[in-house]
Each structure stands twice: as C-alpha cells, then as structure tokens.
Amino acid sequence: NCYGDMPAWFWAIQPSGGIPVAKLDGQVIRESNDIIMAVEEAFPDRPLLPQGDPRVRPLLSLERELFSAWFRWLTSSASEGAQRANFEALLRRVDGELAASGGPYFLGADLSLVDCMFAPFLERMAASLPYYKALTLRRNDGWPRIEQWFLAMESRPSYRHVQSDFYTHVHDLPPQIGRCQSVPEAEELAAEIDGSDGSWSLPLPEDDGSLLQPLQGLGAGADAARREA
C-alpha cells in the first residue's frame, strides 16, 4: 500500500491497508461515504443531511458522474478531446447546481454532507488537472460558483485542517490509482506545481490573484502562514 507503516491495531481492522477506515459502536466501516452516513445516523441531533430534500440524490449522483469522468480522463490518453469536453460539460452542470442553490454550498447557505462528499475529489481535481491535463479548475471564469464554493470551504477551520496542497496531491495520486496520463500542454503548469520553474524561490510571492494554487481563501496572516508551512 502507499500509506506507509501502520500499527498492528490498524492492520487488525483493515487488512488491505487502505484508508479511510472507522470503527463506530464496534462496527468497522471501510468506505468514506459509508463512514459519513454512519456518523450522520449516529448523531441525529446535529444533522448535516436535510431529510426529504429532493436535491440530495441528484447531486450525489452528479458527484459520482464527475468523479468517474475525472478518473477515466486522468488515467487515459485515449479520446483526449472528447474526454476533456465531457468533463468540462460536467463542471458546467456542477457550477449550475451551485448557482441554483444560491450558494456558496450545494444546498444553499449552510454546509451539508453533499459538500463533504464533493470536497475530497474536487480538491484532487483542482490539483491534478492543471498538472496532467493543462486544465485549471481554480480561478477559472468558466466555473465561478465552483471557485466561490472552494473559498467558502477554505474559510472553515475544519476543512483547512485536512486540506492538502497541489504538490502533495499530484504525487500521491499515481501510487493510489496508477499512472496518470499527461498532455504536453501541461508541462509549464506541472513545473509551477513542482517548483522546478523557480516558483518556489523564497520569499514566496504575495497572492495577487494570479497564483496557480490560491492562498487568499486561507484566512491566515503572514506569521500564521509561515508557521503552517
């Protein structure tokens, strides 16, 4: 597995070594969405999934469509143009759903489990697509509501404490999912993420709105940012 050494108690409940895994009331749960739903059911006094909201099931279906299209495109070089067009069409649907909700979240003004289920893969898409496919997801005028969603998520300490960076994501993905297929047009963006173009030279530049990985949503002053780095 690609997650490093684990203690014996972890292997006892997860022989495959995969993460995430949770043990709730004696039950071992090994899939992230199943863990989310189990926690939701265990703590009904603080629900994050509105009961009876007709938007939930179609949104979760859209998340799976988006994930599948991203995974196929990222790991394949076949039909590059058609796969890109399909993925961009799905991004427009996602952006449209956020606009229809009034935002910044998928069900409106409040965070829900729908956002929690979109978050891990939208984050990975934002990192991997410029690096491998020369498609920028962040700060893209084609999907303004998605950028507003990212900024709203980044304003929440609970998300910031688990959010990763572009460099980590792009190098963590191949051991997890296999080889990612690059296009030549992505070389310049990949160099910026890797820092091989000199973009990592200290002191790092202020985020004037042009950085590939936005920093404005982090809400940290210079001293706090240095401590986190």
Side-chain angles (χ1 to χ4, degrees), residues 40 47-60 94 97-116 118 149:
E40 177 76 359
L48 283 176
L49 196 61
Q51 294 297 315
D53 192 320
R55 298 172 294 175
V56 170
R57 188 176 295 275
L59 283 169
L60 295 183
V94 171
E97 292 292 344
L98 286 165
S101 78
Y105 301 110
F106 279 96
L107 296 183
D110 297 322
L111 181 80
S112 74
L113 285 188
V114 176
D115 302 286
C116 296
F118 267 92
W149 177 85

Side-chain angles (χ1 to χ4, degrees), residues 143-160:
W143 311 292
R145 296 287 184 154
I146 292 177
E147 179 62 19
Q148 291 174 19
W149 177 85
F150 269 113
L151 293 175
M153 293 295 289
E154 289 169 348
S155 73
R156 307 181 71 92
S158 57
Y159 177 71
R160 281 290 302 120

